[in-house]
Amino acid sequence: RELADARRELADAQVKLTDAQAELDDGRIQYEDGLAEYESGLADYESGLKEYQDALAQFQEGKAEYEDGLAQFEEAKAKYEDGLAEYEQGRADYEDGLASFSSGQQHYQSGRKRYQESVALFEQQKAEGEKQLQAAIAQLQAALGNGLITQEQFDAQVAAMQAQAEQQLAAAQAQLDAAQAQLDAAWKELDEGATQLVAAANQLSDAKDELDRGKRELDRVEAELDDAKRELDEGQAELDDAQDELDDAARELDDAKRELDDAAADLAKAPGELADARQELDDGWKEYRDGAAEADEEFADALRELADGQAELDDAYEQLSELEPADTYVLTRIENTGYSAFDNDTSIIAAISL
């Protein structure tokens, strides 16, 4: 029985050793597979990290370019707004100048009309004065013919009337000349004003065209900046998603690294455990062999004892065969003392149980 138990223990130890070896082999395969998968994942992570870093660099470069473009746009917009303000001020000044020109033109036309009326009145008064002078001279001639005045008096009075008429005409002509000079000055001022207004209108037109071109260019640049901003926002979102994916991958790699380290530690301990199992099996075999040798010796002793017992038994049978036949007796229950004793004992037990 001890040998059978030993055999079972050896079989169990062999099974444990085989299982341990299989587990070690499986663990090594799983570790190598896991290591290969980890290294592949690490390579993918590093590749993804490089792509992320490249994309981040491009994003930052694009963002810097966008910010530079935005600063230039804001500067150009400020200049445009300043130019627009100057244009509006110039336009207001032009309209004020145009209003002043119109007012001056009306004033000139009114003055010209008054001057023309004055010229007409002067010509009329000049003609009337000439008539009056001729009439007066005719009266003086009549008086001279009638002997009422002398020739000397006639000449003096005619000269005096002519001088007075000429003086009055000269004064009126001087007033007309002054009015003409004022009209000429007003006309010159109006002409200069008109020239300035035309130049101002041309400048305003050129400025308006330039402002319109600048506005169209600003609108175009602003649209491009808006598109660039949307692309930057989308790029930022993609970078954020990529960063999250990289963070998740890094955590997974850290977990996988810890599992690999644990598996490597288990594999490092496995040879010792396997050696212990093998030593246990070797010790079991040694004990089994020692026990088997001892059992063989005991079995040999038992065989010898059995042989000796068989010899004694054979001697006993031989002695029995030499004995004479025995006498046989038939007894009743009463005559059999053994039965009587048994009956007496049962009666005692029955009495006790009651």
Side-chain angles (χ1 to χ4, degrees), residues 78-90 208 211:
K79 290 181 179 179
Y80 167 78
E81 291 174 350
D82 291 340
L84 181 61
E86 291 179 1
Y87 169 78
E88 294 295 340
Q89 182 63 46
K208 184 63 167 62
L211 285 172

Side-chain angles (χ1 to χ4, degrees), residues 261-332:
D261 291 340
D262 294 340
D266 293 339
L267 287 175
K269 292 187 296 183
E273 295 176 353
L274 188 63
D276 293 339
R278 187 177 299 280
Q279 184 62 45
E280 183 180 354
L281 181 62
D282 293 340
D283 293 341
W285 274 110
K286 184 176 181 303
E287 292 178 1
Y288 173 77
R289 292 189 187 94
D290 294 341
E294 184 178 355
D296 290 341
E297 185 177 353
E298 291 178 356
F299 184 70
D301 293 339
L303 287 178
R304 285 193 297 272
E305 290 178 359
L306 284 174
D308 293 340
Q310 185 64 43
E312 291 178 359
L313 184 58
D314 292 340
D315 291 342
Y317 274 119
E318 185 178 354
Q319 290 177 3
L320 286 174
S321 63
E322 294 176 353
L323 293 177
E324 295 181 358
D327 296 330
T328 302
Y329 298 93
V330 178
L331 300 176
T332 65

Side-chain angles (χ1 to χ4, degrees), residues 14-227:
Q14 183 64 49
V15 169
K16 289 180 181 179
L17 179 63
T18 303
D19 292 341
Q21 184 64 51
E23 185 175 354
L24 176 62
D25 293 339
D26 292 340
R28 184 176 288 109
I29 292 172
Q30 291 178 1
Y31 172 78
E32 291 174 352
D33 292 341
L35 180 60
E37 184 176 355
Y38 169 77
E39 291 175 348
S40 176
L42 181 61
D44 292 339
Y45 171 78
E46 292 175 348
S47 176
L49 180 60
K50 185 178 184 305
E51 291 179 359
Y52 170 79
Q53 292 172 343
D54 292 341
L56 180 61
Q58 292 178 355
F59 171 79
Q60 291 173 344
E61 182 179 355
K63 185 177 181 181
E65 291 178 357
Y66 166 77
E67 291 174 350
D68 290 340
L70 183 61
Q72 293 176 3
F73 169 77
E74 294 296 338
E75 183 178 356
K77 185 177 180 181
K79 290 181 179 179
Y80 167 78
E81 291 174 350
D82 291 340
L84 181 61
E86 291 179 1
Y87 169 78
E88 294 295 340
Q89 182 63 46
R91 183 177 178 181
D93 293 341
Y94 170 78
E95 290 175 352
D96 291 341
L98 183 62
S100 297
F101 175 80
S102 297
S103 176
Q105 192 177 33
Q106 291 175 358
H107 182 71
Y108 171 80
Q109 295 294 340
S110 177
R112 181 177 176 82
K113 182 179 180 182
R114 287 195 302 271
Y115 171 76
Q116 290 174 346
E117 290 174 352
S118 298
V119 169
L121 180 62
F122 171 77
E123 294 295 335
Q124 181 182 357
Q125 290 177 350
K126 181 180 178 181
E128 291 177 355
E130 184 66 27
K131 289 179 180 179
Q132 291 175 359
L133 178 61
Q134 292 301 323
I137 290 173
Q139 289 177 357
L140 286 174
Q141 285 177 345
L144 178 63
N146 293 326
L148 296 177
I149 59 174
T150 65
Q151 185 66 42
E152 186 175 306
Q153 289 175 336
F154 173 80
D155 293 336
Q157 289 182 7
V158 170
M161 287 188 295
Q162 289 178 341
Q164 182 179 5
E166 291 176 356
Q167 185 179 3
Q168 290 176 351
L169 287 174
Q173 186 64 50
Q175 292 178 353
L176 288 175
D177 291 341
Q180 181 65 52
Q182 291 179 352
L183 285 175
D184 292 340
W187 176 257
K188 183 179 180 181
E189 185 177 353
L190 284 174
D191 186 60
E192 291 175 354
T195 302
Q196 292 176 356
L197 285 174
V198 170
N202 292 332
Q203 290 178 354
L204 285 174
S205 179
D206 293 340
K208 184 63 167 62
D209 293 339
E210 186 175 354
L211 285 172
D212 291 340
R213 288 192 298 271
K215 185 63 168 63
R216 287 192 296 270
E217 181 65 16
L218 284 175
D219 292 340
R220 184 188 65 80
V221 173
E222 186 175 19
E224 291 179 354
L225 287 173
D226 291 339
D227 293 338

